[in-house]
Amino acid sequence: MRFFKDLSLSAFVAGFVAVLVGFTSSVAIVFQAAQAFGANAAEIASWMWALGIGMGLASALPSLLWKKPVMIAWSTPGAAVLAVAGAGYSMSDAVGAFIVCAALITLAGATGWFERVMNRIPMEIASALLAGVLARFGLQAFLAAQTALPLVLLMLATYLISRRVLPRYAVPLTLVVAIAFVAARGELAWSAVHFELARPVFTMPAFSWQAAVSLALPLFVVTMASQNLPGVAAIRAAGYDMPISRLITFSGVMTLLLAPFGAFALNLSAITAAICMGREAHGDPARRYTAAVSCGAIYVL
């Protein structure tokens, strides 16, 4: 199979790092969004199940089909909107809003209007939008220096040295050093961690104009503007030519299928896309799709 011939250790590591960044950068916001609708522990686990399955399949399958790195993520700005606007709505109302949002995303892709808009935006503006997303994400890492200065300095030094010596493995090496440092200080609370398989929890949707206006429309707007726009910019900045409308449609359909289990919005990724589409993933751009497939497989797992 061509995939296994094209796969390299650096590509698999890039896929793993993308999953790591995708979850740790914003999973707390997803928890807050679920809790805003009164979700219990089982329902929160179902949200993560649905999002993991959705992101994984929507990343791996198109990447294998087109041999290009397709990266799908959850809508972090959308989760932030839900965390704020969810008060007063039930989980059924939320699922109904997710379905309405998914239908709008699917419509935007199927009609091709979103791609037509993107084709009219100069590449310089799209690149600046992507740079804004990545710069803000990078600068937030230094906020931790206020509470964990030795750890931050150690990780920064490890990253800078690794970038010179082993650039493709700088992030995992930084992670390993950080874990070893925290473990040596006795700060890893493994006793609080319990492993078990996630179980999907189906929620019957309820539809109302109030939820559509207060939840579905804001979720749709921020997903398209704050996630899909920089996602397209990341694809084009990396030099890939992909059928954007079909990708948007596919992400909408996946959201539609998994919405009753907690998938609130799936979209093109920007931050994790930059990880799997860059030179660190693989020296050959034609083989970087293996990083996205690896990422998708790990998301599903």
Side-chain angles (χ1 to χ4, degrees):
M1 186 178 178
R2 178 181 168 182
F3 168 76
F4 293 105
K5 293 181 180 179
D6 291 342
L7 182 63
S8 66
L9 178 60
S10 61
F12 181 81
V13 168
F16 168 75
V17 171
V19 173
L20 183 70
V21 171
F23 272 109
T24 59
S25 62
S26 57
V27 70
I29 302 175
V30 177
F31 290 166
Q32 292 172 4
Q35 290 166 350
F37 300 107
N40 55 36
E43 289 170 329
I44 293 175
S46 179
W47 278 43
M48 300 313 301
W49 176 89
L51 291 168
I53 294 292
M55 293 186 297
L57 294 180
S59 297
L61 295 180
S63 297
L64 277 174
L65 178 64
W66 296 325
K67 300 298 184 290
K68 296 177 181 179
V70 175
M71 294 295 293
I72 300 295
W74 64 53
S75 175
T76 300
V81 167
L82 295 174
V84 174
Y89 291 97
S90 67
M91 187 63 72
S92 294
D93 294 325
V95 170
F98 301 165
I99 291 175
V100 172
C101 175
L104 292 174
I105 294 174
T106 304
L107 183 64
T111 58
W113 74 262
F114 178 75
E115 186 170 9
R116 289 195 292 271
V117 170
M118 283 300 304
N119 290 336
R120 287 171 170 77
I121 297 178
M123 187 61 193
E124 293 79 4
I125 294 179
S127 297
L129 177 63
L130 175 62
V133 173
L134 296 177
R136 184 176 68 252
F137 179 81
L139 291 173
Q140 286 176 345
F142 292 93
L143 293 177
Q146 299 176 358
T147 55
L149 182 60
L151 177 61
V152 171
L153 292 178
L154 176 63
M155 294 177 69
L156 179 60
T158 303
Y159 177 78
L160 293 176
I161 295 172
S162 300
R163 284 288 296 177
R164 295 286 296 178
V165 181
L166 294 169
R168 291 183 178 175
Y169 307 102
V171 173
L173 285 174
T174 303
L175 174 65
V176 170
V177 170
I179 291 175
F181 177 79
V182 175
R185 293 164 60 97
E187 296 176 353
L188 286 180
W190 284 111
S191 60
V193 178
H194 304 281
F195 292 97
E196 62 181 65
L197 292 177
R199 296 176 176 85
V201 177
F202 179 85
T203 300
M204 183 64 67
F207 299 95
S208 68
W209 285 108
Q210 294 86 347
V213 171
S214 300
L215 299 177
L217 287 180
L219 179 59
F220 169 71
V221 170
V222 299
T223 297
M224 299 303 291
S226 300
Q227 293 285 148
N228 281 326
L229 271 176
V232 174
I235 291 172
R236 293 180 175 175
Y240 291 101
D241 182 20
M242 298 186 191
I244 301 301
S245 293
R246 292 168 67 181
L247 286 175
I248 298 296
T249 303
F250 188 45
S251 67
V253 171
M254 289 296 293
T255 304
L256 197 63
L257 293 174
L258 293 167
F261 304 99
F264 53 91
L266 300 175
N267 46 248
L268 298 176
S269 170
I271 295 174
T272 54
I275 296 172
C276 290
M277 294 180 184
R279 288 177 297 175
E280 289 78 8
H282 202 289
D284 184 359
R287 298 172 66 182
R288 292 173 191 165
Y289 78 94
T290 57
V293 175
S294 300
C295 175
I298 299 172
Y299 266 137
V300 171
L301 179 63

